[in-house]
Amino acid sequence: MAGSSSNNQDIVDLEEEIVEDDFCLLQYKFAKLSSKSKPTKHMNMKKEVRLEDVVMDNVLHFLPAKSLCRFRAVSRRWDQWIKGPFFAHRQTTYFRNISGLFYQVPGLDPSFISFNRDAYGMPDPSLRFLPEPVNIRTSCNGLLCCQSVRDNVYYICNPVTQEWRMLPKPNLYHGAEAAIVLVFEPKLLNFNESYELVCAVMIPDLPVVYFEIYSSRSSSWRMCDTICCELGGSELHKGGYYMGGVVYWESSSGAILAFDLRNEQGGILQLPPTARGHYGSLTMIHGELCYILPCRQADHCTIYIHGNMDMSLKSVINLTCDDAGSIFSPCRALPSINDDILILAFGRKLISYHVNEQKVELICPWSGGECNSYIPYVNSLPSARHPLVGNRA
């Protein structure tokens, strides 16, 4: 693609509007697609195929939202195509890369750490387009859930399009410490895509966990018949994890509360005895539920990775001061990225560790203050409203 002068002529207007990284990414995607596409004798090949059409149909939906906003400047046709709901649905289905981390220092607006500032981003990471100050709570495949600072109200928004929806108040009082997880799984052939907000609510002075779920399909909350009494009054961490139709929350006692969304049944998994506190993280590695547990010692930090339903020890990684710099601050694990990359927070410093390459990279030297949680975010274009719902609340 890069060596064809005729192809370059078709995209001559790109260079002034698009940063070089975006253009190289588009070239890479198209070259990769072209290398896999071989005509057969059964194909009815056209004599002339415009590069612009091939890119629109086969490349653009693999790109992140920030890059796509730049590509809208290529032509009026590209602008209309990228702004359309069909393309937004398609891009949301195909682009699933973790693009960065939302975080929030108590008392301040949310902020965003981009893993690639040229490719990933949004107009206003502080989320001031929402009608009131909020605390960020959970995210899934491009949608972000926030909770009002002053009231028991949730907002679902897309930080890229600044589209938002205020949810009706739940039946139970959740408070600021409720354990909630946003579940959103777009599928290519399902245009009526919906999301759910799953909340595990603990009643004060009662060792019982209730489950309340909001569905965008019905635009309402419902109470589940299932309750959990096995935690014995242990508190749930606010951040949960979703994979394979099951929501997981870590508790202060070192147990994991699992909730099957399809059958609406709960259960308990046990973590290793040392996995207590707020330093470990549930994540998915190679399709398997895992728990990353960092342990800081005198001059190094040891990362234990547990997996399977019994959370047995799978691997051990040792990081020294040469790898991570000063490790005297507490070390916290965050959900991994693309199976191979671990994200660790040493105080206010974020690093990534590439397991296969055994390489450490500094993501952010200082996030502006201590924060309680980092929320992974995917830079995609989903609608914050269910397609059957016409107006924002």
Side-chain angles (χ1 to χ4, degrees), residues 189-206:
L189 299 180
N190 181 16
F191 292 95
N192 290 331
E193 56 193 25
S194 61
Y195 53 83
E196 292 179 305
L197 190 62
V198 186
C199 184
V201 184
M202 303 192 72
I203 306 299
D205 302 323
L206 290 177

Side-chain angles (χ1 to χ4, degrees), residues 247-306:
V247 179
Y248 301 91
W249 293 277
E250 185 183 353
S251 72
S252 58
S253 64
I256 297 175
L257 172 60
F259 182 74
D260 187 318
L261 269 178
R262 181 174 181 180
N263 301 312
E264 296 192 357
Q265 295 293 322
I268 299 294
L269 302 175
Q270 291 297 330
L271 287 173
T274 55
R276 297 198 178 189
H278 296 268
Y279 300 119
S281 177
L282 291 166
T283 190
M284 182 175 65
I285 299 178
H286 301 300
E288 176 185 344
L289 179 68
C290 293
Y291 187 78
I292 303 174
L293 179 61
C295 295
R296 183 176 62 84
Q297 299 174 8
D299 58 349
H300 67 281
C301 183
T302 303
I303 312 297
Y304 299 94
I305 301 179
H306 300 264

Side-chain angles (χ1 to χ4, degrees), residues 3-236:
S4 172
S5 59
S6 60
N7 288 349
N8 286 340
Q9 184 61 40
D10 291 333
I11 50 177
V12 67
D13 294 328
L14 287 176
E15 295 184 357
E16 294 182 359
E17 301 290 343
I18 304 167
V19 297
E20 183 177 356
D21 285 349
D22 291 330
F23 184 62
C24 292
L25 180 59
L26 189 150
Q27 287 184 309
Y28 168 75
K29 292 288 187 181
F30 179 68
K32 186 176 181 181
L33 177 70
S34 301
S35 65
K36 294 182 179 179
S37 302
K38 297 182 179 180
T40 67
K41 62 181 180 179
H42 302 289
M43 290 184 179
N44 181 19
M45 301 296 293
K46 296 182 179 180
K47 292 183 178 180
E48 293 185 4
V49 178
R50 296 180 60 191
L51 175 63
E52 179 182 358
D53 296 332
V54 176
V55 172
M56 284 180 58
D57 293 339
N58 300 283
V59 177
L60 290 183
H61 53 271
F62 289 104
L63 302 181
K66 183 175 181 178
S67 297
L68 291 169
C69 290
R70 294 190 179 97
F71 279 112
R72 286 174 52 186
V74 171
S75 66
R76 180 175 297 179
R77 186 165 175 245
W78 277 35
D79 179 52
Q80 294 299 317
W81 172 247
I82 293 173
K83 288 194 304 183
F86 174 80
F87 176 81
H89 170 77
R90 195 177 186 191
Q91 189 266 354
T92 302
T93 302
Y94 281 100
F95 186 81
R96 300 290 184 92
N97 294 341
I98 300 298
S99 311
L101 300 168
F102 269 99
Y103 73 96
Q104 188 170 16
V105 176
L108 300 181
D109 290 333
S111 299
F112 181 69
I113 300 172
S114 176
F115 291 160
N116 184 333
R117 293 186 178 183
D118 291 330
Y120 308 138
M122 69 282 304
D124 183 12
S126 67
L127 307 181
R128 292 182 180 176
F129 58 87
L130 293 174
E132 60 179 321
V134 296
N135 293 319
I136 53 174
R137 297 300 307 275
T138 176
S139 176
C140 190
N141 289 322
L143 293 179
L144 184 67
C145 174
C146 305
Q147 188 175 15
S148 169
V149 172
R150 303 183 184 91
D151 204 355
N152 193 32
V153 174
Y154 294 107
Y155 294 90
I156 304 295
C157 69
N158 184 326
V160 174
T161 63
Q162 299 189 350
E163 181 182 82
W164 57 270
R165 177 172 176 79
M166 184 176 72
L167 307 189
K169 288 189 176 182
N171 301 303
L172 298 176
Y173 179 75
H174 292 182
E177 301 300 320
I180 62 173
V181 174
L182 181 62
V183 176
F184 175 54
E185 290 190 298
K187 295 179 173 58
L188 184 61
L189 299 180
N190 181 16
F191 292 95
N192 290 331
E193 56 193 25
S194 61
Y195 53 83
E196 292 179 305
L197 190 62
V198 186
C199 184
V201 184
M202 303 192 72
I203 306 299
D205 302 323
L206 290 177
V208 178
V209 179
Y210 294 89
F211 299 96
E212 189 169 15
I213 301 176
Y214 172 83
S215 172
S216 65
R217 188 173 296 277
S218 62
S219 298
S220 63
W221 291 89
R222 74 177 188 278
M223 293 288 298
C224 299
D225 295 332
T226 299
I227 62 173
C228 176
C229 304
E230 288 84 355
L231 291 178
S234 299
E235 295 182 353
L236 294 174

